Amino acid sequence: MRLNETDLMERVQRELTDSYDEELEMELEDREIDPVTREVLVSERSDEAKEARRLYFRELFRLQAELVKLQDWVVHTGHKVVILFEGRDAAGKGGVIKRIVQRLNPRVCRVAALPAPNNRERTQWYFQRYVSHLPAAGEIVLFDRSWYNRAGVERVMGFCTDEQYEEFFQTVPEFERMLARSGIQLIKYWFSISDEEQNARFLGRIHDPLKQWKLSPMDLESRRRWEEYTKAKEIMLERTHIAEAPWWVVQGVDKKKARLNCIHHLLEQMPYVEVEHPAIQLPEREYHDDYVRRPVPAEIIVPEVY
């Protein structure tokens, strides 16, 4: 069911509020953002909405604590993990990636978000530029879009030939089986949202000055070609769902539930256990009679505006 104009603007306002609340996280003041003026408004959230938000953060922090345990296990065992995040524009991939890596060590868990290939990369073997980002022992790599660009945006927008498209489908199952044989665990997520939800999220980005950079000409074109992207997605899932690396579809219309469900599922994909660490003791600070701390030159101190 399509939203009328009043309901749609309320939906956009909730979208803005949620985005700002996410950045505040532990601050439980309830804020509302005017979608036109971007000013903070007096909260009128229901008790039910407030409780749902508290539950979301309680579960998010619990799951993030489990991710820290998973990270320790990956380092301890030398496990190698690749996680692909695919889906429509504004489907919520970036949001869940941010929550996964938020509490983790960037030297262990890193994100690969590759730009469009340059002229040299276009002449390489298609998978070549992705291979350099694969993990070594004790590492986790999250791909914010991946080699499946060829089955999606490149196909729909005409950036590859029919021959290249078909070659991709012939090659990718073997490529992923090679990764599995090398000891890399490959987990593939597709974030699914409705036509109406994508439209509402795009409108939210248009009204949010902190998110307008996310709207590229390619994103806007994807709205027009919704059905073509749907067809490409269906073919991709059918032809690349293999036992060694199956697809997992995350229902993403409710973005907060999608994050929790995805993280919960991810944790279930590995038999991690909590790694015991020795107790940490802070050593005593040493003092030396011949040391005198020098004053910092006033001209290099950042002004204390706040």
Side-chain angles (χ1 to χ4, degrees):
M1 182 178 68
R2 294 187 179 277
L3 302 175
N4 60 41
E5 185 173 351
T6 300
D7 291 338
L8 185 56
M9 290 310 297
E10 289 179 358
R11 170 67 178 76
V12 170
Q13 180 169 316
R14 291 197 302 271
E15 174 79 3
L16 293 175
T17 302
D18 284 343
S19 68
Y20 286 110
D21 280 347
E22 286 293 349
E23 303 306 320
L24 297 172
E25 287 200 344
M26 290 297 290
E27 186 177 327
L28 292 180
E29 288 183 24
D30 295 297
R31 299 169 183 263
E32 299 287 339
I33 308 298
D34 188 295
V36 177
T37 66
R38 282 76 167 182
E39 294 178 350
V40 177
L41 304 176
V42 177
S43 173
E44 295 181 356
R45 287 186 178 182
S46 67
D47 291 340
E48 183 179 355
K50 292 177 183 178
E51 180 57 31
R53 182 168 179 268
R54 293 189 185 98
L55 175 62
Y56 165 70
F57 282 117
R58 187 161 60 244
E59 281 300 293
L60 177 63
F61 298 147
R62 183 186 70 81
L63 292 171
Q64 287 179 329
E66 292 299 313
L67 285 171
V68 172
K69 296 177 185 177
L70 172 65
Q71 170 187 253
D72 286 348
W73 176 82
V74 166
V75 172
H76 180 73
T77 61
H79 198 52
K80 296 178 283 187
V81 187
V82 170
I83 311 168
L84 308 187
F85 294 87
E86 294 288 344
R88 296 184 188 275
D89 297 310
K93 302 179 296 297
V96 73
I97 290 171
K98 182 189 296 184
R99 273 74 194 179
I100 291 172
V101 304
Q102 193 169 15
R103 318 291 177 187
L104 302 184
N105 184 344
R107 294 179 178 83
V108 175
C109 181
R110 66 179 187 274
V111 179
L114 278 61
N118 57 35
N119 291 334
R120 180 175 181 274
E121 289 171 332
R122 290 190 185 97
T123 66
Q124 294 176 342
W125 176 50
Y126 177 71
F127 297 93
Q128 189 168 335
R129 71 191 193 114
Y130 296 101
V131 169
S132 63
H133 294 274
L134 294 176
E139 294 180 349
I140 304 170
V141 178
L142 285 64
F143 278 89
D144 186 353
R145 294 196 182 280
S146 65
W147 45 85
Y148 282 99
N149 277 339
R150 174 137 295 176
V153 62
E154 290 192 16
R155 175 61 171 176
V156 174
M157 301 304 297
F159 296 154
C160 67
T161 65
D162 290 344
E163 291 75 16
Q164 290 172 326
Y165 178 67
E166 186 59 34
E167 174 62 23
F168 171 80
F169 283 126
Q170 295 298 322
T171 305
V172 71
E174 288 307 313
F175 173 68
E176 292 179 356
R177 290 186 181 105
M178 287 172 59
L179 297 183
R181 289 196 298 270
S182 74
I184 294 176
Q185 182 177 3
L186 178 60
I187 305 170
K188 304 186 298 194
Y189 288 114
W190 174 270
F191 279 71
S192 178
I193 57 172
S194 65
D195 187 351
E196 291 78 10
E197 181 64 18
Q198 187 190 54
N199 183 60
R201 291 186 186 179
F202 275 4
L203 288 174
R205 290 181 177 184
I206 290 171
H207 286 86
D208 188 344
L210 300 183
K211 289 187 175 181
Q212 286 180 358
W213 63 269
K214 292 186 175 184
L215 280 175
S216 68
M218 205 68 64
D219 297 333
L220 298 176
E221 183 64 14
S222 72
R223 277 299 300 152
R224 189 173 70 84
R225 303 196 186 200
W226 171 274
E227 293 182 0
E228 293 178 57
Y229 272 95
T230 299
K231 185 185 299 184
K233 178 260 295 186
E234 292 169 349
I235 294 172
M236 180 192 79
L237 295 183
E238 180 182 356
R239 299 190 66 178
T240 61
H241 181 77
I242 60 175
E244 295 84 351
W247 279 103
W248 300 100
V249 177
V250 180
Q251 298 299 330
V253 171
D254 186 321
K255 63 171 62 175
K256 291 185 176 180
K257 288 183 179 180
R259 293 167 191 160
L260 299 181
N261 289 330
C262 183
I263 296 173
H264 181 271
H265 182 270
L266 174 62
L267 290 166
E268 290 184 328
Q269 302 312 299
M270 284 164 273
Y272 74 97
V273 294
E274 186 169 2
V275 177
E276 294 294 332
H277 295 285
I280 300 174
Q281 293 187 348
L282 192 65
E284 292 291 329
R285 180 200 184 288
E286 294 183 351
Y287 292 88
H288 301 278
D289 294 336
D290 59 346
Y291 171 74
V292 178
R293 184 175 180 180
R294 298 179 181 180
V296 178
E299 62 270 18
I300 68 172
I301 296 178
V302 173
E304 295 186 4
V305 178
Y306 301 99

